[in-house]
């Protein structure tokens, strides 16, 4: 499997009034060519900061303390502003968490969609607009030619998000980063946009990093999943490995907290406690204080990654050969049983 | 059970933006419903269907084009600006806004954002009391004390949303309109916030209008659910009814579009398409009609019998459909 992106030991701090926030603490992952990698995890765990780094778009109070991001033999972390502009225009495009603020309210849709082409290629205005129509139709804006002169507020929320996607894909990026692109949309439009992303992925053979809180969406769109907690990736694997054979107690908590339409009980399961303060991250496993399965060692020493399969690993001491066996929560037992029946011993196609 | 007490009563509410102009939008096209004291009414539906506009009309951010909104027996259109009754209404009815980016003043520290209402309504006995209330609120929504002195841009999307929730809770309201309060949060914090909203409801007898598109969470938190499409209510019933016996084709389509956190099932899920041309826009006169006890559907006269039969049939096969 060919890697298109390789992130190594990334560490990012933010200076704030209250102190230095260690937002990203030694993050390692890679993106395979043509795949969709979903990043899930606690709000505030560093998903947006991580992907913003891939585009050289960090806030002014951010500091990359260490690490590298290898893209086609070059380290994005070391790139000059000029190289980054080229990268953003041609290779890596991003759909932001907040669709409303990523369109310019004073500029027509035609201009905005054609802009990346105008900036990064030598195409004429007329040809650029023709291309804008093609892409707008690709993302499902009907009657696109007639609407080129319309402004963002004349479109519905779902349409605006489609326009944002059109801008992101017009230059056929090699990597498309989607940071909660459907959070503000209803399920019907969400389904259309996910379908659209899949189509686009096939048509232009792009690799996708997809951030979302909706595990249903992850189940439908991801090839692989990385789970983040407190500035670290704590588990990663193929989508079936994460949904049916999760090993980290934080991943268990996420899967348990998801109500299904069948959920009847009076209270939802929520992971107890609050996320750690990233100004003074705790010693050992940052999740230990909230982890009912925590071992003594969790409070002292950070767990390394234990490999579960060639594609699946989790950073939890529970996987240490010396760890006691624990009784899994019922929902996780149910999922592991599906794993035993459907996937175990059959090998997952890596 | 005693007869439920009506807290809000909405009658023939119409909200048209830019009426008569080229860019006229009929955001709400004549809706009527009640919200009972102590209940949670879920409001779901397509993006652009008028959910936020409904919420904003209820707190009088908009002057309705026509129709009537009664809160605890009083017509809210008649509240005078600056009057004691108005100030009271502004405290009792709070809205948690959909957009956590736009709804927090970027120049204010979090502690002052949260305490704004406490100050306006004089709810703190002393500076120290104010500080304690802010800290308790921060903890209640899953943030910590060190966050109090930060500015909104220093937070992640989900963290900002929780600041908005803390701000609404700060003034001890009676009725909260929560406009997609949890869609920006991770599932565990969603669960935490939903449990929190339920706890506060139990403790203080709060009433909620809960706007959302995450249907599994709405089902879980709501007593009744109203389904909106294109400025109209197309279905209104108890949460169980709506989910287990959906009648209107839009509701059926909406439910079929929910992704499930199960990759094997997700690979085979087939959403049902919906065509408004047949169920709404064919020129027939339609109203919300009770076709089964407590279950209302947007129907024309000649559709009522069909819906009544569908409801009976659906209930007849209930045990089968629940087992799947
Ligand atoms: N400009 C900034 N200054 C200070 N701290 C910041 C800044 N931007 C982000 N942070 C902090 O960095 C951490 C990671 O934030 P990030 O936005 O990546 O979270 P996230 O995982 O995307 O969360 P969400 O799911 O809520 O969007 C958070 O604790 C946040 O408060
Ligand atoms: N201030 C306004 N001026 C003109 N049109 C408006 C205004 N506010 C809303 N609209 C329009 O009214 C309709 C209903 O919008 P509303 O925001 O209530 O939808 P919603 O159901 O909350 O959608 P979403 O799920 O996307 O938040 C939309 O067509 C919208 O474009
Ligand atoms: Mg984010
Ligand atoms: Mg809305």
């Amino acid at each position: 499997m060919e890697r298109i992106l390789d992130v190594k030991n990334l560490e990012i701090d933010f200076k704030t009034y209250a102190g230095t926030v260690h937002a990203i603490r030694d993050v390692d992952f890679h993106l395979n060519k043509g795949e969709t990698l979903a990043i899930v995890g606690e709000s505030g765990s560093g998903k947006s900061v991580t992907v913003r780094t891939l585009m050289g778009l960090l806030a002014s109070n951010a500091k990359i303390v260490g690490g590298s991001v290898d893209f086609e033999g070059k380290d994005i972390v070391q790139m000059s502003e000029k190289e980054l502009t080229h990268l953003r225009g041609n290779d890596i495009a991003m759909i932001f968490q907040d669709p409303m603020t990523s369109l310019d309210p004073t500029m027509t849709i035609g201009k905005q969609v054609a802009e990346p082409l105008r900036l990064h290629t030598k195409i004429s205005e007329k040809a650029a607009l023709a291309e804008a129509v093609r892409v707008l139709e690709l993302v499902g804006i009907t009657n696109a030619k007639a609407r080129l002169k319309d402004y963002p507020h004349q479109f519905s929320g779902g349409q605006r998000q489609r326009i944002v996607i059109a801008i992101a894909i017009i230059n056929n990026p090699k990597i498309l980063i989607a940071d909660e692109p459907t959070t503000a949309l209803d399920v019907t439009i969400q389904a259309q946009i996910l379908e659209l992303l899949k189509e686009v992925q096939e048509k232009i053979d792009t690799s996708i990093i997809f951030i979302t809180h909706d595990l249903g969406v992850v189940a439908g769109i991801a090839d692989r999943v990385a789970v983040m907690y407190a500035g670290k990736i704590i588990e990663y694997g193929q989508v079936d490995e994460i949904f049916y054979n999760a090993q980290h107690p934080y991943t268990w908590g996420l899967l348990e907290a998801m109500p299904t339409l069948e959920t009847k009980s009076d209270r939802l399961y929520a992971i107890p406690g609050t996320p750690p303060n990233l100004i003074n991250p705790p010693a050992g496993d940052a999740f230990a204080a909230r982890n009912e399965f925590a071992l003594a060692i969790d409070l002292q020493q950070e767990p390394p990654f234990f490999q579960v399969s060639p594609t699946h690993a989790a950073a939890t001491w529970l996987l240490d050969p010396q760890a006691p066996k624990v009784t899994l929560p019922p929902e996780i037992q149910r999922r592991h049983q599906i794993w035993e029946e459907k996937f175990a011993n059959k090998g997952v196609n890596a | 059970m005693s007869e439920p007490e009506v807290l809000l009563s909405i009658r023939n509410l119409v909200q048209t933006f830019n009426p008569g102009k080229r860019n006229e939008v009929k955001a709400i096209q004549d809706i009527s419903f009640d919200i009972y004291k102590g209940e949670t009414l879920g409001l779901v539906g397509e993006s652009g269907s008028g959910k936020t506009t409904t919420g904003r009309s209820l707190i009088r951010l908009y002057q309705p084009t026509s129709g009537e909104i009664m809160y605890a027996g009083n017509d809210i259109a008649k509240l005078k600006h600056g009057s004691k009754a108005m100030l009271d209404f502004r405290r009792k009815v709070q809205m948690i806004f959909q957009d956590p980016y736009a709804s927090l003043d970027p120049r204010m520290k979090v502690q002052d954002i949260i305490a704004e209402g406490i100050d306006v309504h004089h709810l703190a006995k002393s500076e120290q009391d104010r500080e304690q209330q802010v800290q308790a609120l921060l903890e209640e929504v899953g943030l910590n004390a060190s966050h109090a002195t930060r500015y909104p841009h220093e937070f992640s999307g989900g963290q900002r949303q929780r600041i908005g929730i803390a701000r609404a809770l700060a003034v001890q309201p009676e009725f909260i309109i929560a406009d997609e309060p949890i869609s920006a949060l991770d599932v565990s914090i969603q669960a935490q916030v939903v449990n929190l909203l339920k706890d506060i409801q139990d403790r203080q007898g709060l009433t909620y209008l809960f706007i959302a598109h995450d249907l599994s969470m709405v089902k879980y938190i709501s007593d009744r659910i109203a389904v909106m499409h294109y400025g109209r209510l197309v279905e209104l019933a108890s949460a169980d009814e709506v989910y287990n016996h959906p009648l209107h084709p839009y509701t059926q389509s909406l439910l079929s579009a929910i992704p499930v956190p199960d990759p094997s099932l997700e690979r085979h899920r087939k959403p049902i398409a919906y065509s408004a041309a047949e169920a709404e826009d064919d020129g027939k006169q339609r109203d919300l009609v009770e076709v089964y006890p407590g279950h209302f559907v947007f129907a024309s006269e000649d559709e009522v019998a069909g819906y009544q039969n569908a409801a009976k049939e659906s209930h007849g096969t209930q045990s089968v459909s629940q087992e799947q």
Side-chain angles (χ1 to χ4, degrees):
Chain A
M1 186 118 339
E2 191 185 335
R3 289 186 179 189
I4 185 158
L5 197 71
D6 220 331
V7 178
K8 286 241 153 41
N9 307 108
L10 195 62
E11 277 184 56
I12 296 171
D13 285 353
F14 288 98
K15 286 259 175 305
T16 73
Y17 184 81
T20 301
V21 177
H22 305 289
I24 304 297
R25 307 184 301 135
D26 195 5
V27 159
D28 257 25
F29 68 96
H30 69 272
L31 180 66
N32 293 319
K33 200 164 182 323
E35 78 169 348
T36 299
L37 170 72
I39 305 182
V40 300
E42 179 114 324
S43 156
S45 62
K47 304 179 296 294
S48 297
V49 170
T50 300
V51 294
R52 283 174 158 272
T53 313
L54 310 182
M55 298 200 67
L57 283 177
L58 285 174
S60 56
N61 61 335
K63 181 163 188 262
I64 301 183
V65 181
S68 63
V69 178
D70 181 272
F71 171 72
E72 299 189 326
K74 275 199 155 170
D75 183 0
I76 294 178
V77 168
Q78 306 296 337
M79 281 185 184
S80 66
E81 197 43 53
K82 199 172 156 220
E83 285 173 298
L84 285 172
T85 307
H86 181 88
L87 180 88
R88 289 195 287 265
N90 295 287
D91 299 316
I92 307 185
M94 182 151 168
I95 304 164
F96 289 94
Q97 193 162 358
D98 185 7
M100 305 316 162
T101 55
S102 48
L103 290 173
D104 181 342
T106 65
M107 200 174 170
T108 63
I109 290 307
K111 272 225 164 70
Q112 293 192 57
V113 177
E115 192 173 58
L117 272 180
R118 302 276 292 150
L119 283 178
H120 299 285
T121 63
K122 293 206 176 65
I123 192 169
S124 73
E125 171 148 15
K126 201 167 158 231
L129 284 176
E131 185 60 12
V133 170
R134 189 187 68 77
V135 181
L136 282 169
E137 278 173 356
L138 179 71
V139 301
I141 302 286
T142 48
N143 204 8
K145 194 161 180 204
R147 303 211 64 177
L148 285 179
K149 290 217 168 72
D150 283 355
Y151 290 88
H153 72 268
Q154 290 165 295
F155 293 85
S156 81
Q159 287 173 327
R160 276 188 285 225
Q161 191 59 299
R162 285 159 182 267
I163 293 164
V164 172
I165 295 176
I167 297 172
I169 63 174
I170 193 161
N171 274 348
N172 296 334
K174 292 174 184 153
I175 298 174
L176 184 61
I177 299 172
D179 191 355
E180 300 192 32
T182 58
T183 300
L185 304 175
D186 66 272
V187 284
T188 323
I189 294 174
Q190 167 172 289
Q192 290 165 12
I193 292 200
L194 296 177
E195 204 44 49
L196 169 71
L197 284 176
K198 281 188 200 165
E199 273 170 39
V200 169
Q201 184 170 37
E202 273 167 33
K203 278 189 194 141
I204 66 176
D205 190 28
T206 187
S207 314
I208 298 180
I209 299 179
F210 197 102
I211 299 178
T212 176
H213 291 304
D214 189 331
L215 296 177
V217 170
V218 176
I221 198 164
D223 298 303
R224 287 192 310 128
V225 183
V227 185
M228 284 191 81
Y229 184 81
K232 286 176 180 291
I233 290 176
I234 50 90
E235 181 159 10
Y236 62 85
Q238 296 195 20
V239 67
D240 289 325
E241 293 177 315
I242 298 299
F243 277 87
Y244 301 122
N245 195 28
Q247 299 295 326
H248 197 288
Y250 176 68
T251 315
W252 294 345
L254 277 187
L255 290 167
E256 279 180 277
M258 184 91 190
T260 64
L261 290 179
E262 280 79 45
T263 303
K264 286 254 158 53
S265 77
D266 221 27
R267 285 184 80 73
L268 289 172
Y269 174 79
I271 299 167
T274 52
N277 179 344
L278 291 179
I279 294 176
N280 289 308
D285 183 348
F287 187 57
R290 308 172 64 189
N291 180 4
E292 60 176 302
F293 303 99
L295 308 170
I297 188 171
D298 276 310
L299 298 170
Q300 293 143 18
Q301 202 178 332
E302 187 136 13
F305 269 106
F306 291 89
Q307 213 68 39
V308 182
S309 84
T311 49
H312 181 190
T316 164
W317 284 116
L318 289 181
L319 288 174
D320 188 277
Q322 292 170 42
K325 283 271 159 286
V326 297
T327 310
L328 301 179
E331 170 65 10
I332 304 308
Q333 273 180 30
R334 183 185 76 78
R335 288 176 179 270
H336 280 201
Q337 205 164 343
I338 298 178
W339 177 258
E340 293 301 325
E341 286 161 12
K342 274 199 179 159
F343 301 100
N345 310 322
K346 291 189 190 145
V348 193
N349 26 335
Chain B
M1 245 171 66
S2 58
E3 195 60 10
E5 187 182 331
V6 173
L7 181 64
L8 264 135
S9 152
I10 293 99
R11 287 294 170 270
N12 305 101
L13 182 66
V14 174
Q15 189 74 59
T16 309
F17 294 108
N18 314 315
K21 302 218 181 94
R22 208 162 28 93
N23 55 351
E24 176 181 278
V25 178
K26 292 183 174 155
I28 304 179
Q29 315 194 42
D30 191 353
I31 59 174
S32 300
F33 63 99
D34 290 332
I35 301 177
Y36 300 119
K37 195 161 193 296
E39 82 163 337
T40 300
L41 179 68
L43 186 59
V44 302
E46 185 162 88
S47 141
S49 60
K51 304 181 295 296
T52 297
T53 306
T54 303
R56 289 175 156 253
S57 302
L58 298 190
I59 55 168
R60 246 193 79 167
L61 275 179
Y62 297 138
Q63 193 62 40
T65 308
S66 63
E68 192 182 62
I69 301 169
M70 305 283 282
Y71 182 83
N74 299 311
D75 185 343
I76 68 162
K78 301 214 170 92
L79 295 175
K80 291 211 173 50
H81 270 288
S83 66
K84 166 119 190 2
M86 184 66 176
L87 192 67
D88 226 32
F89 177 76
R90 287 256 183 264
R91 181 183 70 74
K92 285 180 182 159
V93 181
Q94 291 294 313
M95 185 151 176
I96 300 169
F97 290 94
Q98 179 168 7
D99 185 348
Y101 293 85
S103 62
L104 302 177
D105 184 338
R107 288 155 310 181
M108 280 167 76
K109 284 189 189 144
V110 164
Q111 62 195 24
D112 299 318
I113 292 176
I114 293 177
E116 206 176 9
I118 298 181
D119 299 341
V120 169
H121 298 287
H122 309 292
L123 299 174
K125 290 194 276 300
S126 62
E127 187 59 31
Q128 194 191 356
D129 181 31
R130 178 184 189 263
E131 200 171 302
Q132 270 169 3
Q133 288 188 30
V134 168
Q135 305 232 335
L137 286 159
L138 280 171
E139 264 165 46
E140 236 180 341
V141 298
L143 296 168
N144 58 50
S146 83
H147 288 126
T149 53
R150 287 214 225 159
Y151 291 92
H153 73 267
E154 296 176 345
F155 289 88
S156 77
Q159 289 169 328
R160 282 182 234 201
Q161 189 58 288
R162 281 178 275 166
I163 297 168
I165 295 170
R167 177 176 58 181
L169 294 177
V171 294
Q172 299 149 27
E174 281 178 359
F175 174 53
I176 294 185
I177 300 164
D179 192 358
E180 308 202 3
I182 54 170
S183 31
L185 308 177
D186 65 80
V187 281
S188 176
I189 292 171
Q190 283 189 8
Q192 231 171 349
V193 170
V194 164
N195 286 340
L196 167 73
L197 290 173
K198 277 195 154 188
D199 286 349
I200 300 170
Q201 183 167 46
D202 290 347
R203 272 206 305 273
Q204 308 177 10
L206 281 181
T207 305
Y208 296 131
L209 178 68
F210 193 90
I211 302 174
H213 51 240
D214 179 331
L215 292 141
S216 32
M217 214 45 109
V218 178
K219 167 173 188 256
Y220 176 76
I221 196 172
S222 305
D223 299 300
R224 291 187 306 146
I225 290 176
V227 183
M228 235 177 148
H229 188 256
Y230 200 46
R232 304 176 178 119
L233 288 185
V234 296
E235 191 150 359
L236 174 64
S238 72
D240 269 341
E241 275 288 311
V242 167
Y243 281 86
N244 295 323
H245 312 284
L247 294 176
H248 194 275
Y250 176 67
T251 311
Q252 295 174 343
S253 161
L254 192 67
L255 290 174
S256 76
I258 306 174
V260 288
D262 209 318
S264 300
L265 298 180
E266 224 5 55
R267 281 171 204 128
H268 299 113
R269 186 173 52 82
K270 286 264 174 297
I272 306 169
Y274 171 64
S275 147
E278 289 159 31
E280 287 178 70
D281 301 329
D282 55 2
K284 285 187 194 162
Q285 163 73 29
R286 286 190 174 81
D287 287 300
L288 263 192
V289 184
E290 187 169 15
V291 297
Y292 197 80
H295 194 145
F296 298 80
V297 185
F298 190 60
S300 62
E301 240 169 65
D302 58 322
E303 286 167 345
V304 170
Y307 280 129
Q308 283 170 338
N309 285 334
K312 276 196 209 111
E313 213 167 284
S314 170
H315 279 270
T317 57
Q318 175 172 4
S319 50
V320 181
S321 75
Q322 269 188 344
E323 267 171 42
Q324 300 204 358

